[in-house]
Amino acid sequence: MDRRRFLTVLGATGGAAAAASACDIHAEPTEHLVPYTVPPENQVPGIATYYATTCRECAAGCGLHAKVREGRVVKLEGNPESPINQGRLCSRGQAGLQGLYNPDRVTDPMARGPNGEWQKLSWEDAIGRLQAKLKEARGKGIACVTGLESGSFGELVDTWMKQLGGRHVTYEPFAFEALREGNRLAFGTPAIPWYDFANARYIVSFGADFMETWLSPVGYQNGFTRAHAFEGGRDGSMAKFVSVAPRLSLTGMSADEWIAAKPGSEFMLALAMAQVILAERLAPTPADARGLERSLPAPQQAATFLGMDAADIRRLSREFAASQGGLAVAGGVATQYGSGAHLLVASVNLLNYVAGQVGKTVKFGPNHALEAAGSFKQLTDLVGDMSAGKVALLLVHGANPAHSLPAAFSHALGQVGYRVSFSSYLDETAAASDLVLPDLHPLEQWSDSRPRAGVYALQQPVMQPVFPNARHTGDVILQVSGSASSFKEYLQTRWRTLHERFGRGRGFDDFWSEAVQHGGVYADAPAQSARLVPGIAQLLGGLAGAGGASEQHLLIVFPSIALHDGRGANKPWLQELPDPVSKITWHGWVEVHPETAAKSQLANGDILLLESEYGAVRAPVWITPGVRPDVLAIPSGQGHKAYGRYAKDRSFNAFELLSDKPADFGGRAFAVGVTVKKTGDHRRLATVEGDAREQGRGIVEVLPLAKARELKRGAHPFAEEETPAYARKALDAWAEAQHEKASVGNYAGEHPRWAMAIDLAKCTGCSACVTACYAENNLATVGEELVSRRRQMSWLRIERYYTGGAEGHPVGAVVTPMLCQQCGNAPCEPVCPVYAAYHTPDGLNGQVYNRCVGTRYCANNCPYKVRYFNWYNYAEQGGEWESWPDPLNMLLNPDVTVREKGVMEKCTFCVQRIRGAQNRARLEDRNVQDGDITPSCAQACPSEAIVFGDLHDRTSRVAALAQDPRGYHVLAGLNTQPAITYLAKVVHGDVAEA
């Protein structure tokens, strides 16, 4: 760059632009800087505005706060007012931004031309074509398939289909049909109750992964943590959690006891526990359940079938009843083994009923909206009609059955006269359509939902549409049906009914404005009583000894916590998020037990051919002790044939192995018998896993509950003496002298010492914090190839270590978040030759990006391995490793620098939030208060496991937790003096070796 070019740039855009543009500048197109002469309403440059709305990434319906800067959304947080998630948010919710700014969104209406190529249309032309096809197909078969729509849009579709003489089919791949049918069998209602985890004292999960994809994972994880966390000042008690499942899932990793039950046998354990409670009169059983023990299997009978000791069954039964707050849950998708899956749910319902917990921890009334999620049978009935040519016009919105039912639906789709998709993305179903009318993203549109009885959640557009030529499907339907009103007006009309109930004398406009501001209307649903259906115990007891899968290799398809049913596969944050159990990214895998792998001489990364009678897939092996030897398991979510650059042609589609026929409970079987063949091929897993076991390094400390109860304030069982007693006085004097010498300039005077406390008794490893860090700090996603080379950029990782498994000890797992420890005696700082790594006055390990020359000495010297190097320029537009292709770059946080190639980066404790809070406090002439600063990881955490604050403020929560007897520092013997205090995990029973 020459001097004249530099001065030109400097004069046009100021010194900051020159600094940013100082390398390799060529001729550029002229760009005009447009000032805020007439600023948008409620927008102040540099100041964020927050809007309340609702997450639609799954059916849970969590409340959101959208952070908007200069007219664009840059961060999603949980809405603290929402009773669904209480201000917390999972990884899928955080990644909703990447759906909004996805570079592969459909920008305009499109129709397939005569040669099969897509042609863009005007909306007038597109709506005219749709109206003509509707008129032509009337009386010949019209069907509309949507995802679960529990609000006004679903009612609009229902009304529209009735006018046209068509049918509305609701389809969710994970619709929990076994759970609904089991409730109907036991209680006479398919309603899905609300489960009060927070007040449970003994939790047994029969394959219900309530921290991952079961019903409302954020809310249930938060409630679980309140029950299962150890609070020394409370009463020293904590709920016990037992997981009964053939696979150790994320939920199972938090269990105090994992019972690796044979698939299909779990219902026998529930029935035997109910029998013991009844026979020994351990609980205040309702009158209509007394005497049922004669119809149920005794522990001795069940023990043989389960492969357990009868004494363990009695122990579990007595503990469950004695807790006076037992909660048993079932109905997870991965336990839908086939016909009879609903019987497990009915058996668990019977267990809750005889323990007197229905109405206490199992509450009918505030029921989940998933009751109306349709069923797999309804979809297969439609597929049958499509194949028979009975459907002339098919409309699809918010569903992608061509991916989740690849063979049958795709074949039937070819027999439909005309196919219309309202998808925002060109997924498999949209790609096979004749007309695509792109919908707005949920963050761009008005809508509502009712995720739970009593909760009326609102959606509002939090920014202008990213692609202005997309249109709300509700507006399209109203226009096609001849209505002149908009969907917002239709929505407000529906909400006038709520105004009559909850308006409290206010006008509708005031009621509406307040509902929009708060994200909806939240009320308590009246409780409903539930009575046991007569004869249910006799029915279930008569099945004792039956069931159980008999296939030589039973394969279970479990829902991916990040990709769900595949809808998350087009979001790179979710693709690069390590699975909490396997730590694998960007591709699928098959879980194999070490004994099974040894017999077949398998190694991690070996490719297996898995064949069922419905299809075949090739999957790499991941060997884990967290699955039964007679079971294989694979995740859903990958294997798309379309759906954009991040999802297409990646890994395998687990749905191809499953039956396309409904089971007897109306849902789909997610287990299937397979034959397994070694292909001889091998691949390197794209994993971030280190050692599978801790190797005794004391990274995750664990205490048995009995010992934790005995800890007194001031005790430090994990403290390591870093200095011999005879040298302590001299070392303290030396440290004081060094501090005095350093107390110059900005370092003089009193400063805070920012610190963090992480409670491992609360942390579940869900990884919401990891995605929150990506979103807040502009972390690059590097892709499958670079992850396989261990060049991931995540500032925060969740380490998972297996425990037990030797000498008869049961297998378990422990987890811990690992991020920069902000050491007071940091090894990274003195080795940097250019002082890029330095110590700030308030105790942070700072990193000056424009000073860093990339020697990577700091990373070599970091014992925690939490520094990450930019091997490539991930921000280069059009580059090979580009992380933010337009318009994905619109989600970048303007408060955080986007790093360049050759720069080292790491966790900063969200220093931009720290400085922002300090600036606000200074303007308000006050000190920063405890709780003013919340890093993104702590804000998202569903378990509330992370606390941040000033160690020098003795009244702060973090200062109190730093003195907790359970507190310890990782690798404390190195004398790095970390600012992060970990609180030891507390478990019921003995501590297994890691």
Side-chain angles (χ1 to χ4, degrees), residues 695-708:
Q695 311 292 359
R697 287 171 291 179
I699 296 171
V700 182
E701 298 286 3
V702 184
L703 283 170
L705 178 59
K707 187 173 181 180

Side-chain angles (χ1 to χ4, degrees), residues 100-180:
L100 172 68
Y101 297 125
N102 196 282
D104 299 311
R105 279 182 64 179
V106 180
T107 60
D108 300 90
M110 300 189 304
R112 197 175 296 281
N115 58 355
E117 297 294 323
W118 289 109
Q119 300 175 347
K120 291 187 177 181
L121 306 175
S122 67
W123 272 105
E124 292 73 17
D125 187 4
I127 288 176
R129 294 191 186 200
L130 178 57
Q131 287 175 323
K133 292 297 180 180
L134 285 167
K135 183 177 180 181
E136 180 183 320
R138 202 156 190 164
K140 300 178 182 177
I142 300 175
C144 182
V145 177
T146 70
L148 176 62
E149 295 289 348
S150 57
S152 301
F153 180 77
E155 294 169 358
L156 174 62
V157 174
D158 284 338
T159 303
W160 187 41
M161 285 295 104
K162 288 176 183 176
Q163 291 174 351
L164 294 171
R167 58 172 150 167
H168 176 197
V169 176
T170 299
Y171 173 57
E172 288 285 338
F174 306 144
F176 304 100
E177 295 95 339
L179 177 57
R180 290 184 278 155

Side-chain angles (χ1 to χ4, degrees), residues 68 71-73 99-102 105-108 123 424 438-446 460-473 475 887 890:
V68 178
R72 59 188 176 91
V73 189
L100 172 68
Y101 297 125
N102 196 282
R105 279 182 64 179
V106 180
T107 60
D108 300 90
W123 272 105
S424 300
D439 192 15
L440 294 174
H441 188 272
L443 294 173
E444 300 170 328
Q445 63 178 229
W446 288 102
Q460 63 169 317
V462 298
M463 65 175 289
Q464 293 294 318
V466 177
F467 299 103
N469 213 24
R471 186 174 293 187
H472 195 317
T473 301
D475 289 329
M890 292 177 69

Side-chain angles (χ1 to χ4, degrees), residues 561 574-585 688 767 770 794:
I561 184 175
L574 298 182
Q575 287 280 13
E576 193 141 306
L577 179 69
D579 179 82
V581 179
S582 71
K583 299 301 169 187
I584 292 174
T585 68
V688 300
S767 302
V770 177
S794 176

Side-chain angles (χ1 to χ4, degrees), residues 484-801:
S485 64
S486 67
F487 184 77
K488 180 183 178 182
E489 294 168 337
Y490 177 87
L491 177 66
Q492 289 179 319
T493 300
R494 309 295 297 184
W495 272 64
R496 291 187 184 276
T497 305
L498 291 178
H499 171 242
E500 294 173 3
R501 294 173 54 191
F502 303 109
R504 298 194 302 273
R506 295 167 295 170
F508 177 76
D509 289 344
D510 291 339
F511 167 76
W512 175 258
S513 296
E514 185 173 323
V516 170
Q517 178 183 350
H518 296 284
V521 173
Y522 312 120
D524 293 327
Q528 299 171 352
S529 62
R531 310 304 299 177
L532 207 60
V533 172
I536 182 62
Q538 290 80 358
L539 170 64
L540 295 173
L543 298 171
S550 59
E551 289 87 356
Q552 184 179 2
H553 292 286
L554 181 74
L555 181 130
I556 295 173
V557 176
F558 61 91
S560 165
I561 184 175
L563 308 186
H564 201 251
D565 55 14
R567 67 187 68 180
N570 67 338
K571 301 174 180 67
W573 283 346
L574 298 182
Q575 287 280 13
E576 193 141 306
L577 179 69
D579 179 82
V581 179
S582 71
K583 299 301 169 187
I584 292 174
T585 68
W586 288 102
H587 64 82
W589 64 92
V590 55
E591 297 181 1
V592 181
H593 190 273
E595 293 179 9
T596 308
K599 289 178 182 177
S600 302
Q601 296 182 326
L602 295 174
N604 282 336
D606 287 350
I607 306 297
L608 296 181
L609 177 64
L610 307 174
E611 292 181 295
S612 73
E613 59 179 299
Y614 312 105
V617 301
R618 289 164 53 91
V621 168
W622 178 61
I623 301 172
T624 169
V627 68
R628 283 177 57 94
D630 56 351
V631 169
L632 306 175
I634 58 175
S636 64
Q638 299 281 15
H640 285 273
K641 298 297 187 288
Y643 203 35
R645 70 192 72 181
Y646 300 111
K648 184 178 180 183
D649 297 331
R650 186 173 299 285
S651 197
F652 59 86
N653 183 356
F655 290 119
E656 293 180 2
L657 293 172
L658 300 179
S659 171
D660 55 8
K661 304 296 181 186
D664 57 353
F665 54 89
R668 190 176 198 175
F670 280 86
V672 64
V674 295
T675 60
V676 180
K677 297 179 182 177
K678 294 173 64 175
T679 63
D681 295 333
H682 182 87
R683 64 153 294 163
R684 187 174 182 178
L685 299 178
T687 178
V688 300
E689 182 183 28
D691 285 339
R693 293 187 178 265
E694 194 184 357
Q695 311 292 359
R697 287 171 291 179
I699 296 171
V700 182
E701 298 286 3
V702 184
L703 283 170
L705 178 59
K707 187 173 181 180
R709 284 172 172 163
E710 296 171 358
L711 292 176
K712 305 297 182 184
R713 186 169 183 82
H716 294 287
F718 303 112
E720 291 194 30
E721 188 60 55
E722 299 161 356
T723 308
Y726 63 84
R728 191 179 305 124
K729 186 175 181 180
L731 185 62
D732 290 344
W734 176 84
E736 184 177 351
Q738 292 296 311
H739 182 72
E740 289 177 1
K741 289 182 179 179
S743 295
V744 295
N746 292 336
Y747 292 82
E750 295 294 325
H751 296 282
R753 169 74 156 111
W754 302 119
M756 188 176 281
I758 301 176
D759 192 345
L760 300 184
K762 294 182 177 180
C763 178
T764 65
C766 71
S767 302
C769 54
V770 177
T771 306
C773 185
Y774 269 88
E776 174 70 20
N777 294 297
N778 300 339
L779 304 191
T781 51
V782 301
E784 182 176 350
E785 180 183 341
L786 292 187
V787 171
S788 66
R789 291 156 63 182
R790 298 303 180 101
R791 292 183 176 178
Q792 69 275 5
M793 299 302 298
S794 176
W795 289 359
L796 192 162
R797 66 180 183 268
I798 305 295
E799 297 188 351
R800 182 265 305 130
Y801 300 109

